Amino acid sequence: MTINVGTTDRILRAALGAVLLFLAFFSGLPAFDAGIVKYGAAIVGVVMLVVAAVRMCPIYSIFGIKTCRV
């Protein structure tokens, strides 16, 4: 497992993950009342936070993309 997510990418992913989790569970917006949208946003938010934490993106690995300095 090689690191392929850089610092800026990591910060953006963590922020997006936190925003999606907030929208899914605490925003009270009508768009997030539907179960599929709420839990879809929650799953994507958790995946974003996990990728930010481990600094390894499987999709980046498939396409050979690296946003970190080596």
Side-chain angles (χ1 to χ4, degrees), residues 48-59:
M48 289 291 192
L49 288 174
V50 168
V51 168
V54 298
R55 299 186 68 179
M56 191 274 186
C57 178
I59 296 174

Side-chain angles (χ1 to χ4, degrees), residues 12-13 30 52 54 59 66-67:
L12 291 174
R13 286 177 187 265
V54 298
I59 296 174
K66 283 185 137 184
T67 60

Side-chain angles (χ1 to χ4, degrees):
M1 211 166 77
T2 60
I3 295 172
N4 61 4
V5 176
T7 304
T8 305
D9 193 5
R10 192 174 174 196
I11 291 168
L12 291 174
R13 286 177 187 265
L16 180 62
V19 166
L20 284 173
L21 285 173
F22 173 79
L23 287 173
F25 295 114
F26 302 114
S27 70
L29 293 173
F32 290 95
D33 285 340
I36 189 119
V37 175
K38 176 186 272 188
Y39 295 115
I43 289 169
V44 172
V46 168
V47 168
M48 289 291 192
L49 288 174
V50 168
V51 168
V54 298
R55 299 186 68 179
M56 191 274 186
C57 178
I59 296 174
Y60 278 10
S61 295
I62 291 169
F63 292 113
I65 298 171
K66 283 185 137 184
T67 60
C68 62
R69 296 181 189 178
V70 179

